[in-house]
Amino acid sequence: MVPPPLASGSVPALRARSDERRILPTLQAGDALHFGLRSSSCVALLCGFSISGHSAAARSLSLTFGRPCSFLLLGVDMKVSVIGAGSWGTALAHVLGLGGNDVMLWARKQEVCDGVNERHENPRYLIGCKIDSHVKASTSFEEVLSGASAVVIVTPSAVIRQTCASIAPFVNGDTPIVVCCKGVEEGSGLVPVEAELGNASRLAALAGPNHAEEVILGIPAGTVIASQSEQTARFFQGLFATEAFRTYISEDVIGVEVCAAAKNVIAIACGLSYGMGYGDNTASLLMTRGLAEMSRLVAACGGMPMTCLGLAGVGDLIATCTSEHSRNRTFGYRLAQGTTLEQYKAETHMVVEGALACRTLMSLAESVGVELPIAETVRRVVWEGSNLELAAAQLFDRELKPEFY
């Protein structure tokens, strides 16, 4: 018996790329196909065929008899809304477009929308990189969000609450939402998405060693998606997964969010050390002790310390502290050379998340009684203009302690 169609809106529907559209002629209408891939369970009708299992974008599906096949889910296109057209938002929109989704990208500036819609490129970020043709852009929240099956928020952490409040009127109460910003709100020490949008079970956080400059070029990378709901985590796992972008899931939302913010602060510290003329030994010391600070804070906030050893923790820490693409490391280096935060932001058109995070994390750390000496040093240098040489000396002259405490 062919099962009835799903109720409208009950499960996000997915669409295959045009080069993946094949139907096995030997199958008869009503035959049941079972397959396993990277998303939430779904049942759909495909030209009369009953399909059940897990599907992300109808990629290389294995039938019960082991034969690979790909399918087009007819008439069930998926619209994904990406809020934020910076470098990371642009790269993620491109990844989602590669999966065959109809992607609407929200941008503040019309010039960005024109570049995406007319030339498939962002004129302000990732210049020279082509964006998948499935991606369109608009400055209208209503146009971008209307009919969306999923929402991806990629705005700076400083404006995350404002962004959530702005999109709330256009987002259904059960639409899956994933937050990809890398910082916590000043004052609350939180990523305030649930407070503004509600329904925590449909929320997720994405983080990992993912430089936009490499992701948009298809250079292999991995990320972790955390949600208190396994169904939501697996849905986004399948949505983002491509041949070059591997996705993992976690239940530790707090750990992933804190790691995403903390690693940026340590990256500034590493940049400062290199800018002062120190070497790799010093950077390794800062990264390792920074990881210890991160782990203490995650545990104190109720997260899982093991998360700090995963992609959102040590994975992103390595990439952010060592890469030429890292704006936080680069800012730290330039700051040691005399460039101010405002000058750096004006030159790059980018937000230095670690500059804000060194303040927000200190407030969070104080509220849970955790010591963050590296983050505190970065905060004093960035925001109070502390003498860099003196700050470094004071950090190094701290009381000697056991490595793990």
Side-chain angles (χ1 to χ4, degrees), residues 68-188:
C69 183
S70 296
F71 296 92
L72 168 64
L73 304 185
L74 297 178
V76 288
D77 293 354
M78 184 177 198
K79 177 180 177 179
V80 181
S81 301
V82 178
I83 309 300
S87 57
W88 190 214
T90 300
L92 286 177
H94 173 73
V95 169
L96 292 166
L98 289 176
N101 303 292
D102 292 322
V103 182
M104 281 297 297
L105 177 65
W106 178 83
R108 290 189 301 109
K109 297 182 179 294
Q110 186 60 45
E111 66 172 301
V112 173
C113 297
D114 293 340
V116 173
N117 296 332
E118 298 171 8
R119 301 181 299 278
H120 304 300
E121 61 185 23
N122 189 325
R124 292 176 63 85
Y125 302 97
L126 303 177
I127 296 173
C129 297
K130 287 297 181 181
I131 302 169
D132 189 85
S133 60
H134 287 86
V135 180
K136 306 298 180 185
S138 172
T139 59
S140 166
F141 280 128
E142 183 174 10
E143 181 181 0
V144 168
L145 292 163
S146 177
S149 297
V151 178
V152 182
I153 301 177
V154 206
T155 57
S157 59
V159 297
I160 186 67
R161 185 180 292 273
Q162 174 186 340
T163 300
C164 291
S166 298
I167 70 174
F170 310 108
V171 180
N172 292 332
D174 58 354
T175 301
I177 299 172
V178 61
V179 180
C180 307
C181 64
K182 299 191 174 182
V184 294
E185 184 182 48
E186 190 166 15
S188 71

Side-chain angles (χ1 to χ4, degrees), residues 108-309:
R108 290 189 301 109
K109 297 182 179 294
Q110 186 60 45
E111 66 172 301
V112 173
C113 297
D114 293 340
V116 173
N117 296 332
E118 298 171 8
R119 301 181 299 278
H120 304 300
E121 61 185 23
N122 189 325
R124 292 176 63 85
Y125 302 97
L126 303 177
I127 296 173
C129 297
K130 287 297 181 181
I131 302 169
D132 189 85
S133 60
H134 287 86
V135 180
K136 306 298 180 185
S138 172
T139 59
S140 166
F141 280 128
E142 183 174 10
E143 181 181 0
V144 168
L145 292 163
S146 177
S149 297
V151 178
V152 182
I153 301 177
V154 206
T155 57
S157 59
V159 297
I160 186 67
R161 185 180 292 273
Q162 174 186 340
T163 300
C164 291
S166 298
I167 70 174
F170 310 108
V171 180
N172 292 332
D174 58 354
T175 301
I177 299 172
V178 61
V179 180
C180 307
C181 64
K182 299 191 174 182
V184 294
E185 184 182 48
E186 190 166 15
S188 71
L190 304 171
V191 179
V193 179
E194 183 180 353
E196 296 294 333
L197 296 173
N199 189 1
S201 66
R202 52 88 172 258
L203 303 179
L206 180 152
N210 308 141
H211 288 307
E213 296 85 353
E214 295 184 3
V215 170
I216 199 168
L217 295 177
I219 297 173
T223 201
V224 61
I225 299 163
S227 176
Q228 70 177 40
S229 163
E230 182 180 355
Q231 181 179 4
T232 299
R234 290 195 179 279
F235 165 69
F236 281 115
Q237 181 181 37
L239 185 65
F240 281 101
T242 71
E243 290 80 359
F245 197 63
R246 186 167 177 82
T247 52
Y248 295 82
I249 63 170
S250 168
E251 62 185 26
D252 186 16
V253 178
I254 291 175
V256 167
E257 290 178 343
V258 172
C259 285
K263 56 89 183 180
N264 287 327
V265 179
I266 306 306
I268 293 178
C270 288
L272 286 167
S273 72
Y274 280 117
M276 295 173 69
Y278 298 147
D280 296 337
N281 289 348
T282 310
S284 296
L285 172 64
L286 289 168
M287 290 170 63
T288 307
R289 297 313 301 163
L291 180 61
E293 290 188 13
M294 181 190 298
S295 300
R296 291 197 297 269
L297 185 57
V298 166
C301 291
M304 300 163 53
M306 279 298 293
T307 297
C308 301
L309 298 181

Side-chain angles (χ1 to χ4, degrees), residues 25-105:
T26 57
L27 293 175
Q28 301 298 315
D31 287 350
L33 311 179
H34 304 274
F35 51 87
L37 267 183
R38 308 166 173 135
S39 190
S40 57
S41 297
C42 66
V43 179
L45 291 180
L46 167 65
C47 294
F49 301 113
S50 172
I51 304 177
S52 62
H54 300 279
S55 176
R59 291 185 296 268
S60 302
L61 311 182
S62 296
L63 304 183
T64 51
F65 46 86
R67 182 175 176 182
C69 183
S70 296
F71 296 92
L72 168 64
L73 304 185
L74 297 178
V76 288
D77 293 354
M78 184 177 198
K79 177 180 177 179
V80 181
S81 301
V82 178
I83 309 300
S87 57
W88 190 214
T90 300
L92 286 177
H94 173 73
V95 169
L96 292 166
L98 289 176
N101 303 292
D102 292 322
V103 182
M104 281 297 297
L105 177 65

